């Protein structure tokens, strides 16, 4: 895990539902992480300066935030082919990062490039760039097709293998004389990462393991697990396209059978038995505070 001083010293929030008497525990790590806050603040700051502005990919997996930025004049480009048309303005790289070739194409185009890649992701880019230059084979433990994984892949000078499941780890076959440099997607499930690395080691690979799951993810997952263990109902708030929210759901569901995944308060349809003592709430790294508060208010209320 990438370690860092805690950025959030606040305790988890505890409320009581006045009608049913159950406690409501909201994780202190619910919502924007340091990297997402930085990327969104960067976009808002740059929008305030005027001039042409786009982000490379939506700044976060949240339609409300993207729409608010659109109203402030922030556009989105999604492909390298669109870079030349944006070269007379500013291009913001979001927290997930981009492949090296895309980064270079932006710089070369003459655009003003504002890099909001999360420092924890940048660190992985450096590891992959250096290890591949030394001839190590790069393995990323992460989700196929995820923007961060694709970005990281693009910093290797040699072919990369992405492993997401045990089946893929079992099926992985490479020359065992070549050292493997293993990194993880920053938001990957820690327990799964350990299991997949153990499989590679058991198969006799010489592995140089870099557990690059970021501290914000580590804290969020540990806290969610701890609350879910005690909860009668667990609510995970986040976008359906957010892989870190999906992993939180997976972790909570393993501890609490009655775990709900909701995008907004409108999805929340709780059926209470009357015996509930604790309802837990957590949220993914791209879930805005107001959406979490709306869910909290509904659970605090009595109108079930
Ligand atoms: Fe950065 Fe971790 Fe957030 S890598 S963007 S602090 S989930």
């Amino acid at each position: 895990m990438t370690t860092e001083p805690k950025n959030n010293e606040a305790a988890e929030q505890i409320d009581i539902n006045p009608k049913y008497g159950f406690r409501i525990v909201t994780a202190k790590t619910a919502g924007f992480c340091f990297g997402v806050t930085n990327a969104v603040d960067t976009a808002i700051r740059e929008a305030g300066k005027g001039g042409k502005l786009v982000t490379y990919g939506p700044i976060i997996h949240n339609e409300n935030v993207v729409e608010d930025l659109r109203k402030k004049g922030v556009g989105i480009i999604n492909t390298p082919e669109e870079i030349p048309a944006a070269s007379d303005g500013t291009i913001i790289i979001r927290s997930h990062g981009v492949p090296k070739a895309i980064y270079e194409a932006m710089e070369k185009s003459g655009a003003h490039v504002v890099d909001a890649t999360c420092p924890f992701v940048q660190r992985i880019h450096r590891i992959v760039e250096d290890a591949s230059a030394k001839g190590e084979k790069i393995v990323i433990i992460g989700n196929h097709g995820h923007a961060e994984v694709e970005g990281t892949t693009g910093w290797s000078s040699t072919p990369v293998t992405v492993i997401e499941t045990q089946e893929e780890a079992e099926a992985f076959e490479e020359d065992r004389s070549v050292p493997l440099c293993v990194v993880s997607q920053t938001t990957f499930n820690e327990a799964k990462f350990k299991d997949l690395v153990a499989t590679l080691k058991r198969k006799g690979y010489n592995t140089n393991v870099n557990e690059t799951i970021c501290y914000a993810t580590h804290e969020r997952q540990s806290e969610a697990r701890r609350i879910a263990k005690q909860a009668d109902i667990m609510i995970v708030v986040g976008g359906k396209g957010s892989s870190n929210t999906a992993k939180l759901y997976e972790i909570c569901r393993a501890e609490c059978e009655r775990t709900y995944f909701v995008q907004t308060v409108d999805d929340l349809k709780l059926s209470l038995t009357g015996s509930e003592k604790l309802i837990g709430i957590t949220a993914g790294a791209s879930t805005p505070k107001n959406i979490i508060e709306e869910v909290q208010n509904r659970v605090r209320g009595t109108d079930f």
Side-chain angles (χ1 to χ4, degrees):
M1 181 196 60
T2 303
T3 54
E4 186 74 359
K6 288 184 181 181
N7 70 338
N8 185 350
E9 295 298 334
E12 62 202 13
Q13 187 179 335
I14 303 178
D15 300 290
I16 308 264
N17 178 293
K19 182 172 174 189
Y20 298 94
F22 56 73
R23 284 190 302 146
I24 304 142
V25 176
T26 306
K28 73 176 194 296
T29 52
F32 284 9
C33 62
F34 149 82
V36 167
T37 303
N38 177 52
V40 173
D41 287 352
T42 300
I44 294 170
R45 192 184 60 236
E46 291 297 323
K49 292 179 183 169
K52 192 168 163 187
L53 175 61
V54 296
T55 60
Y56 194 84
I59 196 88
I60 58 170
H61 291 293
N62 186 281
E63 285 161 24
N64 298 340
V65 174
V66 170
E67 180 57 20
D68 281 353
L69 285 170
R70 195 190 61 75
K71 288 182 189 146
K72 291 184 167 66
V74 183
I76 300 176
I77 59 169
N78 294 295
T79 62
E81 291 72 32
E82 293 169 279
I83 293 173
S87 63
D88 53 345
T90 298
I91 306 177
I92 299 178
I93 301 175
R94 58 188 178 171
S95 57
H96 297 98
V98 291
K100 188 175 182 182
I102 303 272
Y103 188 85
E104 288 175 348
M106 288 177 188
E107 293 263 296
K108 218 170 126 194
S109 74
H112 174 226
V113 181
V114 177
D115 188 358
T117 306
C118 180
F120 300 126
V121 177
Q122 278 175 340
R123 177 174 167 258
I124 306 174
H125 293 172
R126 296 291 88 76
I127 293 171
V128 165
E129 193 176 26
D130 294 349
S132 62
K134 281 192 286 183
E136 294 180 19
K137 161 80 187 171
I138 307 295
V139 172
I140 303 174
I141 307 275
N143 300 121
H144 295 282
H146 187 276
E148 180 194 316
V149 172
E150 295 197 335
T152 300
T153 300
W155 287 84
S156 172
S157 49
T158 52
V160 170
T161 300
V162 178
I163 295 181
E164 184 172 344
T165 63
Q166 270 302 340
E167 294 70 40
E168 288 168 359
E170 292 291 354
F172 177 77
E173 274 308 323
E174 275 290 327
D175 179 352
R176 282 171 174 70
S177 67
V178 176
L180 297 187
C181 168
V182 184
V183 296
S184 54
Q185 184 181 339
T186 53
T187 51
F188 206 70
N189 180 326
E190 282 184 301
K192 263 192 173 178
F193 176 78
K194 289 194 174 92
D195 288 348
L196 294 170
V197 167
T199 302
L200 295 175
K201 285 189 169 166
R202 177 173 51 72
K203 292 180 70 181
Y205 288 103
N206 171 12
T207 51
N208 158 20
V209 179
N210 302 274
E211 192 191 311
T212 47
I213 294 167
C214 80
Y215 82 98
T217 299
H218 168 77
E219 291 200 336
R220 188 189 307 273
Q221 293 183 353
S222 315
E223 191 186 24
R225 186 177 294 112
R226 185 169 51 72
I227 297 173
K229 269 190 179 140
Q230 310 159 41
D232 300 293
I233 292 176
M234 193 71 198
I235 303 166
V236 181
V237 193
K240 286 279 184 242
S242 156
S243 83
N244 82 83
T245 311
K247 280 167 205 144
L248 271 186
Y249 173 78
E250 192 180 277
I251 287 166
C252 292
R253 183 71 177 71
E255 304 294 345
C256 174
E257 205 173 313
R258 293 166 73 191
T259 296
Y260 295 78
F261 188 149
V262 300
Q263 300 212 72
T264 68
V265 71
D266 298 334
D267 300 334
L268 189 61
K269 310 251 176 326
L270 295 183
S271 50
L272 298 180
T273 62
S275 64
E276 290 81 7
K277 293 194 169 47
L278 196 155
I279 296 186
I281 302 172
T282 188
S286 51
T287 310
K289 208 170 168 196
N290 64 311
I291 294 184
I292 303 169
E293 283 171 354
E294 281 168 15
V295 171
Q296 274 181 298
N297 289 339
R298 171 69 65 80
V299 181
R300 271 193 215 118
T302 54
D303 55 339
F304 287 104

